Amino acid sequence: AKQPGTVPAGLLRWAEEVLRPKVNWRRLLTAELRRAVAEIAGAVDYSYRRPSRRSAVAGQVVLPALRRPVPEVAVVCDTSGSMTEALLAAALAEVEGLLQALGLSRQLRVLACDTAVAPAQRVTSSRQVELVGGGGTNMGTGIAAAAALKPRPAVAVVLTDGYTPWPAAAPKGMRVVVGLLGEGAPAPPSWARAVRVEQD
């Protein structure tokens, strides 16, 4: 039976916003990826490949120059049978968003993966990505393939519905950011940074 309410509408809306805040997942995903890229890009090391200009002043001693590496980024797209057309379209939209947000169009490599991994595609637009697959799923295979790329990517972004086995440990020398597509996607292991991607 309907009863007269006792809570003002404004107070109810306020409580719902506080208890269920909306998070801008695009901004969160971009921030996670930028943080991972910045940690690598900020790692300055000495190199003798291009000697320092101060070497001429120092005489015969060759001094090393500081070198700032430009980080590589790889994207592993889940193309297993559990990925619907809508989820695949969402994955391609995220690839396009990453290209625009990070400005790394010449360094972004995309790997389509179900239980097997397709060859890496270097893309400047999501329209160039060919998503092949449709079988079982194992994102561990895709992460291992990304870690084996030359040069090794500093960051791997995995776009998946989450229904996959994961490696027991994080890959060495590579950060992993997981974009979980679809509602109710299981969380990845704690060594990966996870962001839940809501469908517009």
Side-chain angles (χ1 to χ4, degrees):
K2 290 187 177 181
Q3 300 291 329
T6 58
V7 179
L11 185 60
L12 183 60
R13 281 193 293 272
W14 173 83
E16 287 179 348
E17 287 177 8
V18 170
L19 295 176
R20 285 182 284 185
K22 289 284 185 182
V23 176
N24 186 332
W25 56 266
R26 284 190 193 274
R27 189 176 298 159
L28 185 61
L29 180 60
T30 302
E32 287 289 343
L33 194 54
R34 279 190 177 154
R35 183 181 305 140
V37 168
E39 287 176 5
I40 303 301
V44 178
D45 198 5
Y46 289 97
S47 171
Y48 285 96
R49 295 176 90 186
R50 181 178 290 171
S52 172
R53 286 183 249 162
R54 295 179 185 166
S55 295
V57 177
Q60 301 198 354
V61 177
V62 178
L63 300 174
L66 285 173
R67 182 181 66 91
R68 183 182 301 272
V70 177
E72 290 274 339
V73 178
V75 179
V76 179
C77 289
D78 186 350
T79 58
S80 63
S82 62
M83 292 286 287
T84 63
E85 291 294 326
L87 292 178
L88 291 174
L92 288 176
E94 291 312 306
V95 170
E96 188 67 34
L98 293 173
L99 285 165
Q100 292 176 1
L102 297 174
L104 296 175
S105 57
R106 294 184 182 175
Q107 301 172 28
L108 191 61
R109 291 173 288 180
V110 179
L111 297 94
C113 176
D114 50 11
T115 54
V117 183
Q121 309 163 53
R122 191 174 286 272
V123 299
T124 57
S125 169
S126 62
R127 289 176 292 218
Q128 298 171 330
V129 177
E130 294 181 21
L131 296 179
V132 295
T137 180
N138 188 348
M139 291 301 100
T141 308
I143 293 171
L149 291 173
K150 302 291 183 196
R152 170 178 270 207
V155 182
V157 179
V158 181
L159 300 172
T160 179
D161 59 359
Y163 296 98
T164 174
W166 296 96
K172 292 184 179 179
M174 186 177 74
R175 298 192 175 278
V176 178
V177 178
V178 178
L180 293 170
L181 306 170
E183 295 181 3
S190 58
W191 49 260
R193 293 178 176 170
V195 177
R196 293 197 175 271
V197 177
E198 297 177 5
Q199 297 207 22
D200 296 332

Short mmCIF file of all heavy atoms in Angstrom, two decimals, residues 9 16 43 54 76 104 119 128 150 166:
data_model
loop_
_atom_site.label_atom_id
_atom_site.label_comp_id
_atom_site.label_asym_id
_atom_site.label_seq_id
_atom_site.Cartn_x
_atom_site.Cartn_y
_atom_site.Cartn_z
N ALA A 9 12.18 15.63 -1.15
CA ALA A 9 12.80 15.14 -2.39
C ALA A 9 14.25 15.58 -2.50
O ALA A 9 15.11 14.82 -2.93
CB ALA A 9 12.00 15.61 -3.60
N GLU A 16 21.20 10.05 -2.23
CA GLU A 16 21.54 9.12 -3.31
C GLU A 16 22.86 9.50 -3.96
O GLU A 16 23.66 8.64 -4.34
CB GLU A 16 20.43 9.08 -4.35
CG GLU A 16 19.18 8.34 -3.86
CD GLU A 16 18.07 8.34 -4.90
OE1 GLU A 16 18.18 9.09 -5.89
OE2 GLU A 16 17.11 7.59 -4.70
N ALA A 43 61.55 8.55 -15.59
CA ALA A 43 62.77 7.82 -15.24
C ALA A 43 63.89 8.27 -16.17
O ALA A 43 63.99 7.83 -17.31
CB ALA A 43 62.55 6.32 -15.36
N ARG A 54 79.18 18.95 -22.44
CA ARG A 54 80.21 19.36 -21.49
C ARG A 54 81.50 18.56 -21.67
O ARG A 54 82.51 18.89 -21.09
CB ARG A 54 79.70 19.18 -20.06
CG ARG A 54 78.55 20.08 -19.74
CD ARG A 54 78.06 19.86 -18.35
NE ARG A 54 76.88 20.64 -18.08
CZ ARG A 54 76.09 20.47 -17.06
NH1 ARG A 54 76.34 19.51 -16.19
NH2 ARG A 54 75.05 21.24 -16.87
N VAL A 76 45.61 -4.62 -25.17
CA VAL A 76 45.17 -5.99 -25.41
C VAL A 76 43.64 -5.98 -25.39
O VAL A 76 43.03 -5.67 -24.36
CB VAL A 76 45.72 -6.96 -24.33
CG1 VAL A 76 45.22 -8.37 -24.59
CG2 VAL A 76 47.24 -6.92 -24.31
N LEU A 104 49.64 9.49 -28.12
CA LEU A 104 50.69 8.51 -28.41
C LEU A 104 50.34 7.68 -29.65
O LEU A 104 50.56 6.49 -29.70
CB LEU A 104 50.88 7.58 -27.20
CG LEU A 104 51.39 8.25 -25.94
CD1 LEU A 104 51.41 7.26 -24.79
CD2 LEU A 104 52.77 8.81 -26.14
N PRO A 119 48.81 -10.99 -34.36
CA PRO A 119 49.99 -10.11 -34.41
C PRO A 119 49.63 -8.68 -34.00
O PRO A 119 48.52 -8.21 -34.24
CB PRO A 119 50.41 -10.17 -35.88
CG PRO A 119 49.84 -11.46 -36.39
CD PRO A 119 48.58 -11.69 -35.62
N GLN A 128 41.56 1.29 -37.82
CA GLN A 128 42.60 0.42 -38.36
C GLN A 128 42.70 -0.91 -37.61
O GLN A 128 43.40 -1.81 -38.05
CB GLN A 128 43.95 1.13 -38.30
CG GLN A 128 44.00 2.41 -39.13
CD GLN A 128 45.27 3.19 -38.87
OE1 GLN A 128 45.83 3.15 -37.78
NE2 GLN A 128 45.72 3.94 -39.88
N LYS A 150 58.91 -5.96 -28.89
CA LYS A 150 60.16 -5.19 -28.95
C LYS A 150 59.88 -3.87 -29.64
O LYS A 150 59.39 -3.88 -30.76
CB LYS A 150 61.24 -5.96 -29.71
CG LYS A 150 61.56 -7.31 -29.13
CD LYS A 150 62.27 -7.18 -27.81
CE LYS A 150 62.64 -8.58 -27.29
NZ LYS A 150 63.00 -8.62 -25.91
N TRP A 166 43.65 -15.03 -15.10
CA TRP A 166 44.71 -14.04 -15.06
C TRP A 166 46.02 -14.70 -14.63
O TRP A 166 46.00 -15.71 -13.94
CB TRP A 166 44.36 -12.93 -14.06
CG TRP A 166 43.16 -12.14 -14.43
CD1 TRP A 166 41.89 -12.33 -13.98
CD2 TRP A 166 43.09 -11.04 -15.33
NE1 TRP A 166 41.03 -11.41 -14.52
CE2 TRP A 166 41.74 -10.60 -15.37
CE3 TRP A 166 44.04 -10.37 -16.10
CZ2 TRP A 166 41.33 -9.54 -16.15
CZ3 TRP A 166 43.63 -9.31 -16.89
CH2 TRP A 166 42.29 -8.89 -16.91
#
